[in-house]
Amino acid sequence: MPRKVVSGPDYDDEYGDDYDEYDDDYDDYGETGHGDTQLPMKEEKESLKKSSGAVPVLWRCSMCMFDNHESMVYCEMCGVFRESFIKSSKDGSIKVNRIPSDSGKPLMPKSDSTKVPLKTRTADFGGDTEIKNAGISHEKVSSTQSASVGSSSGTGKKVKHIALPEDVPVERTTQLISDHFQLKEEQSSRAGSSAENEDAAQKLSSDIHKLGLEKNEVDVAKTCLPEEYKPEKWMFADEESGVPSQLNLAIVGHVDSGKSTLSGRLLHLLGKISKKDMHKNEKEAKEKGKASFAYAWAMDESSEERERGVTMTVAVAYLETKKYRVVLLDSPGHKDFVPNMISGATQADAAILVVDACSGSFEAGMDGEGGKSVGQTKEHAQLIRSFGVEQLIVAVNKMDAVGYSKERFEFIKVQLGSFLRSCNFKDSSVIWIPLSAVENQNLINIPSDGHLTSWYQGFCLLEAIDSLQLPSRDVSKPLILPICDVIKSQSTGQLAAFGKLETGAIRNGSKVLVSPCGEVATVKTIERDSNSCDIARAGDNVAVSLLGIEGSKLVPGGVLCNPGFPVLVSNFLELRVLVLDVTIPILVGYQVEFHIHHVKEAARVTKIVALLDKAGKPSKTAPRFLKSKQNAVVQVTLESPVCVQEFSKCRALGRAFLRSSGSTIAVGVVMRVLGQDKS
Amino acid sequence: MKLLHRDLVRNGPGKAKLLPEEDDDLWHAYNLIVPGDTVEAYTVRKVLREMASGGRDSERVRLKLAIVVESVDYDKEGSVLRVRGKNITENDYVKIGQFHTMEFELRRQFTLTKDVWDWLALDIIQQACDPAASADLAVILMQEGLAHLFLIGRSVTVTRARIETSIPRKHGPAIAGYESALKKFFEHVLTAFQKHIKFEVIQCVVIASPGFTKDQFRDYMYLEAARRDIREIIENKPRIILAHAPSGYKHSLKEVLESPSVMTLIKDTKAAQEVQALKDFFNMLTNDSDRACYGPKHVEVANDRLAIQTLLITDNLFRNSDIATRQNYVRLVESVKKFGGTVHIFSSMHASGEQLAQLTGIAAILRFPLPDLEDIEM
């Protein structure tokens, strides 16, 4: 994590720092304009900033967070090479301080024949030692070598054993770190297995441009990304086409606060539901004795939901406002359905938090039943924030029941506002709107009710939605589409994967790789809101039907990606988490449910690596347990592998949540993918 | 388990003749038999005979063999106990010193000879022969698309079935798909229910889930029972109760057992006590973390200072093949008891025992806080 030199508003709570740090990457991207390059550039930028001052120039090791002096090329603690060093080394122009004189020649550029330098290296260090060093330095550099190299074959299959290609990148490093490790290695058997090295040399030349020096369990795909990925022309949206951009809006809040009714109302007012359908809903609702739910039934369509009067899964609806094409994700508010809400809110760009203004209901939403646990208003706000959503509209619903009273509105604003601030929502990005869905006040036009207009002159809901800003879309990165659902598409009757494109773009005929099964398929049709379209770009919510793959291979929780840049599939991960309010401390062996984009898995905390303090530096290694509000690095083992990507590479696939006993106990990001667990 | 005959000296050598009656008893036998003991029972041996014509013929011969145990295996899914060891009986078919594997079945007695009948072994025998009613609870833990069927015995929890299907989320027009997939899922669960749950043995069935899945399943089940005329379900309706669970995953079983309605059913059994003890431990860890510790080293240190009030230990620590370690643990348990502490031995086959096993298998609640445990390496 880069050091927080850029300072946002300074909040004292620990929360503030953590949420801020998750967003730091984002800010840096925007600022430096290096949309493509990631950590290497960032660290250089940081070091540049530092070098301008009188402070000793330090760089932070991305593995262990240790601050090293600028002159060090590798981290003192863990031995991992510095990013910028590696990057520049690839270009072949390097000046290395601590290389022993015999291997003083620079690293060969990629295209050079590698035989000669290798031979000299062989003479110096002996083939065995080199390989052995390779093997051992392997371990030292990274605790578990993920089978990421196997993924270089592009099939996305995980190969566990250390094959020869894996030796190759390390061989490159050995000449640089050999000085470091030779001190540690006693044996210096000069057995020349030069034959072995010849083969290695061949592979070296061919593979070297594909593989890079590893750090952070980097998979080969990373080195292919992003320098080598060239987005095609058609992927970029043409500004002049006049097609409004898409905004994904999640509607969250405590149970019975009026989310589904609000969505239904909006749809009806904007003409998305025909009068006939509305009448039908009203009639049926009245028959069932649930007349007040008539609008909510526009969203809750299954018989179970209608009967019980609750939303159980996320419902998707499409709207159009003046500025955007909005995708509404109406989430369940019930405590038991939070996992479903997580899956829906993954796709959100902004959120509407619906709060019930009635006396007692608001309090219940904040504190939960009996004041013991956290109410869903709070839990959803925390979850939404940890999804990286910065813009929030708080809709205070059911104002008619409190007579549009200003005091109540202000009261709610103060209470909830302080909580939102502690979650690190910036005050400027939260919009407060009083409204009444039932009476249609302040939804799409200025309210007509006198009580309300007397003290409220702000936006109505529709205007507030229009005032939201779109986050930047990463169209230029390789394709990633997490599959939310696998549905039988209406028009073709075939199975289609439904989800929101996180990065990249696809069109009819593109080839995609389906994870986790690892098979390649072709895009047959793309549907958005039951209309076919040709191209879908990052940010679009589409249903993609594929050719060349069996329906059973498409699973919710899978990912469609670019065949050349597969996502990682693993069941052993290292996370950086923030522990929320928990009743039971988290110990090693604690069993949790692991949620990441659309996947839920049972998981176990295998190791608590270190406790982090506010600045993000490890303060205590291997603590016994974790309590509320602590930051830590933990390792988890999942029961079965999931598609995941490090947070720094892809945000959507890197955010994780840990839940247990019906509440969210920790939110975090994936720092490292450690590959298949050996146990 | 029935104890048919006993001829032993406390903390000394001796033998006992036992007759296992239920699955649980095989589990107790597994805890009893350690490598080095001698077991004698009727067993089957496949014998090769050379016939006059030169061909070989294999014959299964039933005989009584005594073997010196080298290894013990318990297969929890099949509820089978296998003991492997060297033969020490003189007979026509098996040479002395030859290896043989015995399978223990229910209702077949065996004689166990040990060198040292320590406190632990005697305790196990006593528990096993206790005629108190066992829990015998069946729990169906489900969420949409995932269901587990557990049979909770007195000391063993067995997963009888695991059903996983992918249910598409409702998505506008594709509602019908969701409902039919759900029905299919319930159908599978019902089949598993009929197959594994025998109401003669099971006292009560608990259906647990987050949300409304349990109600949906129960309604579906009654409907199908009425339609297909499944006597068992119709007659035993009052024995089927609902409970809330936070999720459908295995580790949520613990919370199901903690819910009050289920707790009343199992309150006399070991399972309930284990759950309670573990809950106390976690509470202590949250509220006053210096008074709780886990891990063998910490617990040893705490014991040396006579600080342990309650010791929680899983039985698989005793099944360690290294005699010294096992004796170490036995000594630890005895010393805790001597100084007035309580010991809970968790069956590692229960949900709570599994959880304790994840935390190294040994934990303790202390009488007074020991803050310097933090500094000691685990």
Short mmCIF file of all heavy atoms in Angstrom, two decimals, chain A residues 249-255 257-259 262 329 331 333 341 350-356 362 365-366 375-385 389 391-397 412 416-417 419-420 423 425 430-435 461:
data_model
loop_
_atom_site.label_atom_id
_atom_site.label_comp_id
_atom_site.label_asym_id
_atom_site.label_seq_id
_atom_site.Cartn_x
_atom_site.Cartn_y
_atom_site.Cartn_z
N LEU A 249 -27.10 1.86 -9.63
CA LEU A 249 -27.53 2.44 -8.37
C LEU A 249 -28.09 1.34 -7.47
O LEU A 249 -29.01 0.64 -7.86
CB LEU A 249 -28.63 3.46 -8.69
CG LEU A 249 -28.94 4.54 -7.70
CD1 LEU A 249 -27.71 5.35 -7.41
CD2 LEU A 249 -30.01 5.44 -8.29
N ALA A 250 -27.54 1.22 -6.30
CA ALA A 250 -28.06 0.21 -5.37
C ALA A 250 -28.96 0.87 -4.36
O ALA A 250 -28.68 1.98 -3.89
CB ALA A 250 -26.89 -0.47 -4.65
N ILE A 251 -30.04 0.22 -4.05
CA ILE A 251 -30.97 0.76 -3.05
C ILE A 251 -30.90 -0.13 -1.83
O ILE A 251 -31.24 -1.31 -1.88
CB ILE A 251 -32.39 0.81 -3.60
CG1 ILE A 251 -32.39 1.55 -4.91
CG2 ILE A 251 -33.30 1.48 -2.60
CD1 ILE A 251 -33.73 1.95 -5.39
N VAL A 252 -30.42 0.44 -0.75
CA VAL A 252 -30.21 -0.37 0.46
C VAL A 252 -30.85 0.31 1.65
O VAL A 252 -31.24 1.47 1.58
CB VAL A 252 -28.70 -0.55 0.75
CG1 VAL A 252 -28.03 -1.28 -0.37
CG2 VAL A 252 -28.05 0.79 0.98
N GLY A 253 -30.97 -0.43 2.71
CA GLY A 253 -31.53 0.15 3.92
C GLY A 253 -32.14 -0.93 4.78
O GLY A 253 -32.22 -2.09 4.39
N HIS A 254 -32.59 -0.54 5.94
CA HIS A 254 -33.16 -1.49 6.88
C HIS A 254 -34.44 -2.12 6.31
O HIS A 254 -35.05 -1.57 5.41
CB HIS A 254 -33.48 -0.75 8.18
CG HIS A 254 -33.74 -1.65 9.33
ND1 HIS A 254 -32.79 -2.50 9.84
CD2 HIS A 254 -34.85 -1.85 10.07
CE1 HIS A 254 -33.31 -3.17 10.85
NE2 HIS A 254 -34.55 -2.80 11.02
N VAL A 255 -34.81 -3.23 6.91
CA VAL A 255 -36.00 -3.92 6.41
C VAL A 255 -37.23 -3.05 6.63
O VAL A 255 -37.37 -2.38 7.64
CB VAL A 255 -36.13 -5.29 7.12
CG1 VAL A 255 -36.30 -5.13 8.61
CG2 VAL A 255 -37.23 -6.10 6.53
N SER A 257 -38.05 -0.33 5.19
CA SER A 257 -37.90 1.13 5.12
C SER A 257 -38.55 1.68 3.87
O SER A 257 -38.72 2.88 3.75
CB SER A 257 -36.43 1.52 5.17
OG SER A 257 -35.68 0.73 4.29
N GLY A 258 -38.90 0.81 2.94
CA GLY A 258 -39.62 1.29 1.75
C GLY A 258 -38.80 1.28 0.48
O GLY A 258 -39.06 2.04 -0.43
N LYS A 259 -37.79 0.40 0.42
CA LYS A 259 -36.93 0.40 -0.76
C LYS A 259 -37.67 -0.07 -2.00
O LYS A 259 -37.62 0.58 -3.05
CB LYS A 259 -35.75 -0.55 -0.53
CG LYS A 259 -34.95 -0.22 0.69
CD LYS A 259 -33.81 -1.18 0.87
CE LYS A 259 -34.27 -2.51 1.38
NZ LYS A 259 -34.80 -2.45 2.73
N LEU A 262 -40.25 2.36 -3.13
CA LEU A 262 -39.64 3.53 -3.77
C LEU A 262 -39.25 3.20 -5.20
O LEU A 262 -39.52 3.97 -6.13
CB LEU A 262 -38.40 3.93 -2.96
CG LEU A 262 -37.66 5.17 -3.42
CD1 LEU A 262 -38.55 6.36 -3.29
CD2 LEU A 262 -36.41 5.35 -2.60
N LEU A 329 -30.66 -1.46 -8.46
CA LEU A 329 -30.46 -2.76 -7.82
C LEU A 329 -31.17 -2.70 -6.48
O LEU A 329 -30.65 -2.17 -5.51
CB LEU A 329 -28.96 -3.02 -7.62
CG LEU A 329 -28.15 -2.99 -8.92
CD1 LEU A 329 -26.69 -2.71 -8.61
CD2 LEU A 329 -28.27 -4.33 -9.61
N SER A 331 -32.14 -4.02 -3.19
CA SER A 331 -31.59 -5.08 -2.33
C SER A 331 -32.52 -5.45 -1.19
O SER A 331 -33.34 -4.65 -0.78
CB SER A 331 -30.27 -4.61 -1.71
OG SER A 331 -29.52 -3.90 -2.62
N GLY A 333 -33.51 -6.04 2.66
CA GLY A 333 -33.07 -5.34 3.85
C GLY A 333 -33.02 -6.22 5.07
O GLY A 333 -32.49 -5.87 6.10
N MET A 341 -27.57 -9.21 -0.62
CA MET A 341 -27.38 -7.77 -0.82
C MET A 341 -25.93 -7.47 -1.20
O MET A 341 -25.67 -6.62 -2.05
CB MET A 341 -27.77 -7.07 0.48
CG MET A 341 -27.48 -5.61 0.50
SD MET A 341 -25.99 -5.36 1.44
CE MET A 341 -25.67 -3.65 1.10
N ALA A 350 -23.16 3.91 -7.14
CA ALA A 350 -23.62 4.84 -6.11
C ALA A 350 -24.78 4.17 -5.42
O ALA A 350 -25.28 3.15 -5.87
CB ALA A 350 -24.07 6.15 -6.76
N ALA A 351 -25.21 4.73 -4.31
CA ALA A 351 -26.26 4.05 -3.56
C ALA A 351 -27.26 5.04 -3.00
O ALA A 351 -26.96 6.20 -2.73
CB ALA A 351 -25.64 3.24 -2.43
N ILE A 352 -28.46 4.51 -2.82
CA ILE A 352 -29.50 5.26 -2.11
C ILE A 352 -29.78 4.50 -0.83
O ILE A 352 -30.17 3.33 -0.86
CB ILE A 352 -30.81 5.33 -2.94
CG1 ILE A 352 -30.55 6.01 -4.27
CG2 ILE A 352 -31.87 6.08 -2.17
CD1 ILE A 352 -31.79 6.12 -5.12
N LEU A 353 -29.56 5.15 0.26
CA LEU A 353 -29.82 4.52 1.56
C LEU A 353 -31.18 5.00 2.03
O LEU A 353 -31.40 6.19 2.27
CB LEU A 353 -28.74 4.92 2.56
CG LEU A 353 -28.81 4.35 3.98
CD1 LEU A 353 -28.61 2.85 3.95
CD2 LEU A 353 -27.75 4.99 4.85
N VAL A 354 -32.10 4.06 2.11
CA VAL A 354 -33.46 4.45 2.47
C VAL A 354 -33.65 4.27 3.97
O VAL A 354 -33.35 3.23 4.52
CB VAL A 354 -34.48 3.58 1.70
CG1 VAL A 354 -35.89 4.02 2.02
CG2 VAL A 354 -34.22 3.68 0.21
N VAL A 355 -34.15 5.34 4.58
CA VAL A 355 -34.32 5.31 6.03
C VAL A 355 -35.77 5.59 6.35
O VAL A 355 -36.39 6.46 5.75
CB VAL A 355 -33.43 6.39 6.68
CG1 VAL A 355 -33.61 6.38 8.17
CG2 VAL A 355 -31.99 6.17 6.32
N ASP A 356 -36.28 4.87 7.29
CA ASP A 356 -37.67 5.05 7.68
C ASP A 356 -37.74 6.14 8.74
O ASP A 356 -37.09 6.07 9.77
CB ASP A 356 -38.17 3.71 8.25
CG ASP A 356 -39.66 3.70 8.46
OD1 ASP A 356 -40.27 4.78 8.46
OD2 ASP A 356 -40.20 2.60 8.63
N PHE A 362 -36.61 4.15 12.78
CA PHE A 362 -35.25 4.63 12.51
C PHE A 362 -34.28 4.11 13.56
O PHE A 362 -33.18 3.65 13.25
CB PHE A 362 -35.25 6.16 12.50
CG PHE A 362 -33.87 6.73 12.46
CD1 PHE A 362 -33.07 6.53 11.35
CD2 PHE A 362 -33.36 7.43 13.54
CE1 PHE A 362 -31.79 7.05 11.32
CE2 PHE A 362 -32.09 7.95 13.50
CZ PHE A 362 -31.29 7.76 12.38
N GLY A 365 -33.50 0.60 12.97
CA GLY A 365 -32.57 0.44 11.86
C GLY A 365 -31.14 0.69 12.26
O GLY A 365 -30.22 0.09 11.74
N MET A 366 -30.97 1.61 13.21
CA MET A 366 -29.62 1.92 13.63
C MET A 366 -29.08 0.87 14.58
O MET A 366 -27.97 0.39 14.43
CB MET A 366 -29.59 3.28 14.33
CG MET A 366 -29.91 4.43 13.43
SD MET A 366 -28.64 4.70 12.20
CE MET A 366 -27.48 5.63 13.13
N GLY A 375 -28.04 -2.54 13.39
CA GLY A 375 -29.20 -2.57 12.50
C GLY A 375 -28.73 -2.54 11.07
O GLY A 375 -27.59 -2.26 10.76
N GLN A 376 -29.65 -2.84 10.17
CA GLN A 376 -29.23 -2.92 8.77
C GLN A 376 -28.89 -1.58 8.18
O GLN A 376 -28.13 -1.50 7.24
CB GLN A 376 -30.32 -3.60 7.93
CG GLN A 376 -30.07 -5.08 7.76
CD GLN A 376 -29.83 -5.71 9.08
OE1 GLN A 376 -30.66 -5.69 9.96
NE2 GLN A 376 -28.66 -6.27 9.26
N THR A 377 -29.48 -0.50 8.72
CA THR A 377 -29.11 0.81 8.19
C THR A 377 -27.60 0.97 8.33
O THR A 377 -26.90 1.35 7.40
CB THR A 377 -29.82 1.94 8.97
OG1 THR A 377 -31.21 1.68 8.96
CG2 THR A 377 -29.55 3.27 8.34
N LYS A 378 -27.10 0.65 9.49
CA LYS A 378 -25.66 0.79 9.72
C LYS A 378 -24.87 -0.24 8.92
O LYS A 378 -23.87 0.08 8.29
CB LYS A 378 -25.34 0.59 11.20
CG LYS A 378 -25.54 1.80 12.03
CD LYS A 378 -24.92 1.60 13.40
CE LYS A 378 -25.01 2.86 14.22
NZ LYS A 378 -24.69 2.62 15.62
N GLU A 379 -25.32 -1.46 8.98
CA GLU A 379 -24.54 -2.51 8.32
C GLU A 379 -24.44 -2.26 6.82
O GLU A 379 -23.38 -2.38 6.23
CB GLU A 379 -25.20 -3.88 8.57
CG GLU A 379 -24.26 -5.02 8.22
CD GLU A 379 -24.83 -6.38 8.60
OE1 GLU A 379 -25.90 -6.40 9.25
OE2 GLU A 379 -24.21 -7.39 8.25
N HIS A 380 -25.57 -1.89 6.24
CA HIS A 380 -25.53 -1.63 4.81
C HIS A 380 -24.64 -0.44 4.49
O HIS A 380 -23.92 -0.46 3.50
CB HIS A 380 -26.96 -1.35 4.29
CG HIS A 380 -27.76 -2.59 4.14
ND1 HIS A 380 -28.94 -2.64 3.46
CD2 HIS A 380 -27.55 -3.85 4.57
CE1 HIS A 380 -29.43 -3.86 3.49
NE2 HIS A 380 -28.60 -4.63 4.16
N ALA A 381 -24.69 0.59 5.32
CA ALA A 381 -23.84 1.74 5.06
C ALA A 381 -22.37 1.34 5.10
O ALA A 381 -21.58 1.73 4.25
CB ALA A 381 -24.12 2.85 6.07
N GLN A 382 -22.01 0.51 6.08
CA GLN A 382 -20.61 0.07 6.16
C GLN A 382 -20.23 -0.75 4.94
O GLN A 382 -19.17 -0.57 4.36
CB GLN A 382 -20.42 -0.81 7.39
CG GLN A 382 -20.28 -0.06 8.67
CD GLN A 382 -20.32 -1.01 9.85
OE1 GLN A 382 -20.78 -2.14 9.75
NE2 GLN A 382 -19.83 -0.54 10.97
N LEU A 383 -21.12 -1.66 4.57
CA LEU A 383 -20.80 -2.52 3.43
C LEU A 383 -20.66 -1.70 2.16
O LEU A 383 -19.76 -1.89 1.37
CB LEU A 383 -21.88 -3.57 3.25
CG LEU A 383 -21.89 -4.67 4.29
CD1 LEU A 383 -23.09 -5.55 4.11
CD2 LEU A 383 -20.63 -5.50 4.19
N ILE A 384 -21.60 -0.78 1.99
CA ILE A 384 -21.57 0.05 0.78
C ILE A 384 -20.27 0.84 0.71
O ILE A 384 -19.65 0.93 -0.34
CB ILE A 384 -22.79 1.01 0.78
CG1 ILE A 384 -24.02 0.25 0.32
CG2 ILE A 384 -22.56 2.18 -0.10
CD1 ILE A 384 -24.03 -0.02 -1.14
N ARG A 385 -19.87 1.34 1.85
CA ARG A 385 -18.63 2.12 1.83
C ARG A 385 -17.44 1.26 1.48
O ARG A 385 -16.55 1.65 0.73
CB ARG A 385 -18.42 2.77 3.21
CG ARG A 385 -17.21 3.66 3.24
CD ARG A 385 -17.45 4.90 2.40
NE ARG A 385 -16.24 5.70 2.30
CZ ARG A 385 -15.40 5.66 1.27
NH1 ARG A 385 -15.64 4.87 0.26
NH2 ARG A 385 -14.33 6.40 1.27
N VAL A 389 -17.99 2.68 -2.75
CA VAL A 389 -18.98 3.66 -3.20
C VAL A 389 -18.80 4.92 -2.39
O VAL A 389 -18.81 4.90 -1.17
CB VAL A 389 -20.40 3.10 -2.99
CG1 VAL A 389 -21.43 4.18 -3.17
CG2 VAL A 389 -20.64 1.95 -3.93
N GLN A 391 -20.47 8.00 -3.27
CA GLN A 391 -21.59 8.92 -3.36
C GLN A 391 -22.83 8.25 -2.82
O GLN A 391 -23.19 7.15 -3.22
CB GLN A 391 -21.83 9.27 -4.82
CG GLN A 391 -20.55 9.79 -5.45
CD GLN A 391 -20.79 10.09 -6.89
OE1 GLN A 391 -21.39 11.10 -7.20
NE2 GLN A 391 -20.37 9.22 -7.75
N LEU A 392 -23.48 8.93 -1.93
CA LEU A 392 -24.63 8.33 -1.27
C LEU A 392 -25.76 9.34 -1.23
O LEU A 392 -25.57 10.51 -0.96
CB LEU A 392 -24.23 7.96 0.16
CG LEU A 392 -25.23 7.17 0.98
CD1 LEU A 392 -25.43 5.82 0.39
CD2 LEU A 392 -24.73 7.04 2.40
N ILE A 393 -26.95 8.84 -1.53
CA ILE A 393 -28.14 9.67 -1.34
C ILE A 393 -28.90 9.05 -0.18
O ILE A 393 -29.25 7.88 -0.24
CB ILE A 393 -29.04 9.65 -2.58
CG1 ILE A 393 -28.28 10.20 -3.79
CG2 ILE A 393 -30.29 10.45 -2.35
CD1 ILE A 393 -29.07 10.10 -5.07
N VAL A 394 -29.15 9.81 0.85
CA VAL A 394 -29.94 9.27 1.95
C VAL A 394 -31.37 9.75 1.75
O VAL A 394 -31.66 10.94 1.79
CB VAL A 394 -29.42 9.74 3.32
CG1 VAL A 394 -30.29 9.15 4.42
CG2 VAL A 394 -27.99 9.31 3.52
N ALA A 395 -32.25 8.79 1.49
CA ALA A 395 -33.65 9.14 1.28
C ALA A 395 -34.40 8.84 2.56
O ALA A 395 -34.49 7.68 2.98
CB ALA A 395 -34.21 8.31 0.12
N VAL A 396 -34.89 9.88 3.18
CA VAL A 396 -35.63 9.69 4.41
C VAL A 396 -37.09 9.51 4.01
O VAL A 396 -37.78 10.45 3.63
CB VAL A 396 -35.46 10.90 5.35
CG1 VAL A 396 -36.18 10.65 6.65
CG2 VAL A 396 -33.97 11.13 5.61
N ASN A 397 -37.51 8.29 4.08
CA ASN A 397 -38.82 7.91 3.55
C ASN A 397 -39.89 7.99 4.64
O ASN A 397 -39.58 8.11 5.83
CB ASN A 397 -38.70 6.49 3.00
CG ASN A 397 -39.84 6.17 2.06
OD1 ASN A 397 -40.63 7.05 1.70
ND2 ASN A 397 -39.93 4.92 1.65
N ILE A 412 -32.66 12.89 12.36
CA ILE A 412 -32.11 11.74 11.63
C ILE A 412 -30.80 12.12 10.95
O ILE A 412 -29.83 11.38 10.95
CB ILE A 412 -33.13 11.25 10.59
CG1 ILE A 412 -34.33 10.64 11.31
CG2 ILE A 412 -32.51 10.24 9.65
CD1 ILE A 412 -35.42 10.19 10.38
N LEU A 416 -27.56 9.94 11.84
CA LEU A 416 -27.02 9.10 10.78
C LEU A 416 -25.77 9.74 10.19
O LEU A 416 -24.83 9.06 9.81
CB LEU A 416 -28.09 8.89 9.71
CG LEU A 416 -27.79 7.84 8.65
CD1 LEU A 416 -27.42 6.54 9.30
CD2 LEU A 416 -29.03 7.65 7.78
N GLY A 417 -25.80 11.08 10.12
CA GLY A 417 -24.67 11.78 9.55
C GLY A 417 -23.38 11.50 10.29
O GLY A 417 -22.33 11.28 9.69
N PHE A 419 -22.69 8.89 11.98
CA PHE A 419 -22.27 7.52 11.69
C PHE A 419 -21.62 7.42 10.31
O PHE A 419 -20.60 6.77 10.12
CB PHE A 419 -23.47 6.57 11.77
CG PHE A 419 -23.09 5.17 11.43
CD1 PHE A 419 -22.34 4.42 12.31
CD2 PHE A 419 -23.45 4.62 10.22
CE1 PHE A 419 -21.96 3.14 12.00
CE2 PHE A 419 -23.07 3.32 9.90
CZ PHE A 419 -22.33 2.59 10.78
N LEU A 420 -22.22 8.10 9.35
CA LEU A 420 -21.66 8.03 8.00
C LEU A 420 -20.27 8.66 7.95
O LEU A 420 -19.39 8.19 7.25
CB LEU A 420 -22.59 8.75 7.01
CG LEU A 420 -23.92 8.07 6.75
CD1 LEU A 420 -24.75 8.90 5.79
CD2 LEU A 420 -23.72 6.68 6.18
N CYS A 423 -17.88 6.26 8.99
CA CYS A 423 -17.58 5.27 7.96
C CYS A 423 -16.75 5.87 6.87
O CYS A 423 -16.44 5.22 5.88
CB CYS A 423 -18.88 4.80 7.28
SG CYS A 423 -19.82 3.69 8.24
N PHE A 425 -17.62 8.52 4.87
CA PHE A 425 -18.30 9.15 3.75
C PHE A 425 -18.03 10.63 3.89
O PHE A 425 -18.22 11.21 4.96
CB PHE A 425 -19.82 8.95 3.84
CG PHE A 425 -20.26 7.64 3.26
CD1 PHE A 425 -20.63 6.60 4.08
CD2 PHE A 425 -20.35 7.47 1.89
CE1 PHE A 425 -21.06 5.40 3.55
CE2 PHE A 425 -20.78 6.28 1.36
CZ PHE A 425 -21.14 5.24 2.19
N VAL A 430 -22.64 13.22 0.37
CA VAL A 430 -23.90 12.66 0.85
C VAL A 430 -25.01 13.68 0.63
O VAL A 430 -24.89 14.83 1.03
CB VAL A 430 -23.81 12.33 2.36
CG1 VAL A 430 -25.13 11.78 2.85
CG2 VAL A 430 -22.69 11.35 2.61
N ILE A 431 -26.06 13.24 -0.02
CA ILE A 431 -27.19 14.14 -0.27
C ILE A 431 -28.37 13.64 0.56
O ILE A 431 -28.68 12.45 0.55
CB ILE A 431 -27.58 14.10 -1.76
CG1 ILE A 431 -26.35 14.37 -2.63
CG2 ILE A 431 -28.65 15.13 -2.05
CD1 ILE A 431 -26.62 14.23 -4.09
N TRP A 432 -29.03 14.56 1.24
CA TRP A 432 -30.15 14.16 2.10
C TRP A 432 -31.47 14.58 1.47
O TRP A 432 -31.67 15.75 1.16
CB TRP A 432 -30.02 14.84 3.46
CG TRP A 432 -28.77 14.47 4.16
CD1 TRP A 432 -27.54 15.03 3.98
CD2 TRP A 432 -28.62 13.45 5.14
NE1 TRP A 432 -26.62 14.42 4.79
CE2 TRP A 432 -27.27 13.45 5.52
CE3 TRP A 432 -29.50 12.55 5.72
CZ2 TRP A 432 -26.77 12.56 6.46
CZ3 TRP A 432 -29.00 11.68 6.67
CH2 TRP A 432 -27.64 11.69 7.03
N ILE A 433 -32.36 13.64 1.32
CA ILE A 433 -33.63 13.97 0.68
C ILE A 433 -34.79 13.42 1.49
O ILE A 433 -34.88 12.22 1.68
CB ILE A 433 -33.69 13.37 -0.74
CG1 ILE A 433 -32.50 13.87 -1.53
CG2 ILE A 433 -34.99 13.74 -1.40
CD1 ILE A 433 -32.69 13.79 -2.98
N PRO A 434 -35.67 14.30 1.95
CA PRO A 434 -36.87 13.78 2.59
C PRO A 434 -37.90 13.47 1.51
O PRO A 434 -38.03 14.24 0.56
CB PRO A 434 -37.34 14.95 3.45
CG PRO A 434 -36.83 16.16 2.75
CD PRO A 434 -35.63 15.77 1.93
N LEU A 435 -38.57 12.36 1.63
CA LEU A 435 -39.60 12.10 0.64
C LEU A 435 -40.62 11.11 1.20
O LEU A 435 -40.47 10.60 2.31
CB LEU A 435 -38.99 11.54 -0.65
CG LEU A 435 -37.95 10.45 -0.57
CD1 LEU A 435 -38.56 9.08 -0.39
CD2 LEU A 435 -37.12 10.43 -1.83
N LEU A 461 -35.60 13.64 -5.75
CA LEU A 461 -34.78 12.44 -5.88
C LEU A 461 -34.17 12.31 -7.27
O LEU A 461 -32.99 12.01 -7.43
CB LEU A 461 -35.63 11.21 -5.57
CG LEU A 461 -34.85 9.90 -5.49
CD1 LEU A 461 -33.82 9.97 -4.38
CD2 LEU A 461 -35.78 8.74 -5.24
#
